[in-house]
Amino acid sequence: MTALVSVPYVDVVPLPRGVPLPLIAALGLSAVAAHSALTRTGGLTPGETVIVLGAGGVVGQAAIQLARLSGAGRVVAVCRSAQAQDRAVRLGADAAVPLLPDDDPMSLADRLRDASGPADLVLDPVFGVPAAAALRVLRPGGRLVNLGSSASPTAPIDSATLRSGSLHVHGYTNNALSTAQRAESLTEVAEHAAAGRLTVDHEVVQFATVAEAWARQAAGDTDGRIVLVL
């Protein structure tokens, strides 16, 4: 059976020759979001200290590497499991801070401060307590870019922290990117992937076994993001 898909020409992005397509599928728009949130919305400049919340997910894994590739001076990852913490360091984080079940903003902020010192930029795909804690570690004028709420749709952010540091909180969505901006980020992501500078945990699964793969995903028994192939 042959299937055809019609795609507007402006949405077609040429990929580098030899780029591993399953990896590009795994990185996908998550890596585009990490790249654009860091560089466009977050305004990352070389030498800055970056905190990546939710570093165990695809956005977080990509953000660690892309922050380093964009010249960050120090990258600190925050994630729950020991496995995710070890992986974050392998991907380029200078330190990995565990997120504990009973954390409150002050206790997590203390551990973050020990690992990062005053931070310039926080990439936040989780919100909730981690975001409130990270705000307390930002230097005056520091920025937090939120692009998700996997921890909680709300966060215990206090006015004094925002005001005393003249902090900046930005919201990010891929939907706000122009076609050209999306293509630019995807091209950079693909070039890094093709050169072996950017990766993410993923598992290639034949479409015929999709039901079993989804069941394992629901049970948390997969090796990263699932990529379906025909």
Side-chain angles (χ1 to χ4, degrees), residues 64-78:
I64 292 169
Q65 299 163 85
L66 290 167
R68 185 65 75 199
L69 289 166
S70 298
R74 184 168 179 81
V75 179
V76 174
V78 180

Side-chain angles (χ1 to χ4, degrees), residues 139-184:
R139 68 174 73 252
R143 300 94 68 198
L144 180 145
V145 181
N146 174 260
L147 60 162
S149 55
S150 59
S152 174
T154 60
I157 295 171
D158 62 284
S159 173
T161 296
L162 291 177
R163 290 182 292 109
S164 63
S166 298
L167 304 180
H168 303 269
V169 178
H170 303 277
Y172 173 86
T173 172
N174 278 340
N175 294 334
L177 295 177
S178 68
T179 300
Q181 288 173 333
R182 186 172 61 249
E184 181 184 354

Side-chain angles (χ1 to χ4, degrees), residues 89-108:
V89 173
R90 291 198 307 272
L91 292 176
D94 295 284
V97 176
L99 179 62
L100 306 178
D102 58 349
D103 266 332
D104 57 51
M106 292 186 66
S107 62
L108 179 54

Side-chain angles (χ1 to χ4, degrees), residues 47-73:
E48 289 192 317
T49 295
V50 178
I51 294 174
V52 177
L53 304 180
V58 175
V59 171
Q61 290 177 54
I64 292 169
Q65 299 163 85
L66 290 167
R68 185 65 75 199
L69 289 166
S70 298

Side-chain angles (χ1 to χ4, degrees), residues 187-224:
T187 297
E188 184 162 341
V189 164
E191 288 174 350
H192 286 314
R197 296 186 295 263
L198 179 63
T199 189
V200 67
D201 277 8
H202 63 286
E203 178 181 348
V204 178
V205 173
Q206 294 294 324
F207 190 79
T209 62
V210 63
E212 181 267 342
W214 281 342
R216 289 192 294 108
Q217 185 178 55
D221 186 26
T222 58
D223 295 324

